[in-house]
Amino acid sequence: MQTRILKVSSKNPSLSQIRKAARIIKSGGLVAFPTETVYGLGANALDSKSVRKIFEAKGRPSDNPLIIHISDIAELGILAENIPSTAFDLIEKFWPGPLTLVLKKSKIVPKIVTGGLDSVAVRMPKNKVALELIRLCGTPIAAPSANIAGRPSPTRAEHVSEDLNGKISMILDGGPTKIGIESTVIDLSSKTPMLLRPGGITIEQLQKILGKISIHPIVFGKKTKTIIRSPGMKYRHYSPKAKIILIEGSKPKIRKKISELSKYYKSQGLRVGILGANIGSDLTKSQASQQKIAASLFKSFREFDAKKIDIILAQGTSNKGLGLGIMNRLGKAAYKKIRV
Ligand code: AMP
Ligand code: MG
């Protein structure tokens, strides 16, 4: 299969380009498209056959559910049942945006989309290309990140092409994505809201609206006996080919450890990359720097791979704000964690 790449501005998108992509999705094919978080690999969410192609193209395990993307709130009522009022409070504040709601699924949603679960994950993305694409398709779009399963999520069209060229019909190239890590996933399908994945909307922002939120232990990478509410959680994710060693603790100690380890691995003839320590003087100093880290994290993973780096020494950051999402991604990708 040949993969067509169409450039389209995320600020002021050409509808004629997006119409070509919509035609592909309506006829059962796959299109990768930009969102404000990462690039998504989209198919008609209400058609099992189309959705199956997503799992095949990515090599994604069939019990790892997909997020359904909508462009109009009316579509939520078709996909979900027993929607609590808190969902609408969140929607009012954060949609369109990087927040995914897990709700009880309606019958119309094929089981293949939810990995066999009775719940469904839904979000309205903020990128104009994504919104227009969904609108022109006239159907909700199921879309996981547009990478080969286990690889870092793509934040540029070139990353999608690296992983999926020849396996999908089209890539809409809307330039680099703004946020750079995936959406926050919150489960509202039982009594206390539960954070399943930290992301673009911070837990502090959610707490302002919801009050108490429980955090699934797996968010911190803890092994757990509690039921895995989201099967996707059990997979190691976001990994570059290089081995990541995540170093947490006080900053001066982290620096010292990084320099020690760097010398050691280099003496072993390995190629070493350093992540974080070279970004400004203080990773946690400001929100601005966290936004920058999030926006470039997956790109850095891929760049290290292109440079054939063997070991990435990554500096840990705080779990506050966007930091929780960043640390979750680093933790999931890490081969080893060291506390100093
Ligand atoms: P991706 O778009 O590749 O980042 O993957 C989507 C993620 O959304 C999955 O890995 C799950 O963590 C989450 N998700 C999707 N559907 C559900 C659901 N019904 N219940 C819980 N989590 C879900
Ligand atoms: Mg993914």
Side-chain angles (χ1 to χ4, degrees):
M1 179 188 301
Q2 219 186 340
T3 304
R4 279 185 78 189
I5 302 177
L6 293 187
K7 279 214 187 288
V8 48
S9 155
S10 283
K11 279 207 181 105
N12 192 10
S14 139
L15 286 190
S16 69
Q17 299 289 70
I18 301 178
R19 222 169 261 129
K20 291 176 194 155
R23 230 175 273 141
I24 292 172
I25 289 190
K26 282 201 273 190
S27 61
L30 303 183
V31 172
F33 61 96
T35 78
E36 78 279 27
T37 57
V38 302
Y39 274 74
L41 179 60
N44 179 351
L46 302 184
D47 180 55
S48 304
K49 248 180 148 178
S50 307
V51 173
R52 181 159 303 120
K53 292 180 189 167
I54 294 178
F55 288 90
E56 286 164 5
K58 286 189 53 124
R60 185 177 176 101
S62 63
D63 64 350
N64 191 355
L66 309 179
I67 294 170
I68 300 188
H69 293 68
I70 60 175
S71 62
D72 189 315
I73 296 196
E75 291 167 301
L76 183 66
I78 299 169
L79 302 170
E81 283 172 6
N82 302 342
I83 305 175
S85 62
T86 46
F88 294 103
D89 298 337
L90 292 175
I91 287 168
E92 201 181 325
K93 184 94 181 141
F94 299 117
W95 277 12
L99 179 68
T100 297
L101 305 180
V102 173
L103 300 161
K104 188 175 175 345
K105 99 180 209 10
S106 76
K107 288 206 177 66
I108 204 175
V109 180
K111 280 259 171 181
I112 186 167
V113 175
T114 65
L117 296 173
D118 290 328
S119 57
V120 62
V122 186
R123 98 171 176 101
M124 187 188 289
K126 201 169 188 177
N127 181 291
K128 282 186 187 167
V129 177
L131 286 170
E132 283 301 339
L133 177 65
I134 302 163
R135 192 177 65 81
L136 290 171
C137 284
T139 173
I141 294 183
S145 51
N147 51 282
I148 293 287
R151 296 266 296 136
S153 293
T155 55
R156 283 170 166 61
E158 301 86 80
H159 301 163
V160 180
S161 176
E162 253 171 48
D163 281 16
L164 297 172
N165 192 30
K167 294 185 172 175
I168 61 178
S169 301
M170 185 177 280
I171 302 170
L172 289 174
D173 178 357
T177 62
K178 269 209 179 120
I179 295 176
I181 58 172
E182 301 85 347
S183 61
T184 301
V185 180
I186 185 137
D187 187 350
L188 300 177
S189 69
S190 41
K191 251 194 191 150
T192 315
M194 181 177 272
L195 183 77
L196 299 181
R197 176 173 79 181
I201 299 290
T202 66
I203 188 160
E204 293 87 348
Q205 285 175 295
L206 295 176
Q207 275 160 342
K208 274 192 195 146
I209 308 247
L210 295 175
K212 190 172 159 34
I213 300 175
S214 49
I215 305 182
H216 199 289
I218 215 149
V219 167
F220 299 109
K222 294 196 181 115
K223 290 212 175 87
T224 168
K225 285 200 182 111
T226 37
I227 49 163
I228 293 187
R229 292 228 210 159
S230 167
M233 295 170 143
K234 71 184 181 215
Y235 299 106
R236 186 156 168 264
H237 241 116
Y238 317 112
S239 318
K241 288 168 196 152
K243 288 196 162 129
I244 295 184
I245 301 178
L246 176 57
I247 301 140
E248 295 171 86
S250 77
K251 236 168 300 144
K253 285 188 178 165
I254 295 179
R255 295 259 162 86
K256 191 159 161 264
K257 194 74 186 169
I258 287 184
S259 124
E260 265 169 41
L261 288 175
S262 170
K263 272 192 208 131
Y264 170 74
Y265 285 115
K266 281 181 184 161
S267 77
Q268 303 287 303
L270 295 172
R271 297 170 74 100
V272 177
I274 293 173
L275 189 62
N278 51 351
I279 306 175
S281 59
D282 182 349
L283 273 185
T284 61
K285 197 155 69 188
S286 68
Q287 268 188 340
S289 76
Q290 284 196 328
Q291 281 168 5
K292 269 196 201 152
I293 295 164
S296 65
L297 186 67
F298 292 141
K299 179 167 146 273
S300 305
F301 284 179
R302 284 178 184 263
E303 282 169 357
F304 283 131
D305 278 349
K307 288 187 196 147
K308 303 230 180 319
I309 295 289
D310 303 298
I311 302 274
I312 299 172
L313 301 172
Q315 175 177 336
T317 181
S318 95
N319 273 328
K320 295 226 170 72
L322 259 187
L324 187 63
I326 295 168
M327 285 304 283
N328 169 264
R329 303 313 186 270
L330 281 172
K332 275 186 149 190
Y335 140 85
K336 194 168 158 187
K337 290 183 200 172
I338 298 177
R339 186 161 276 284
V340 288

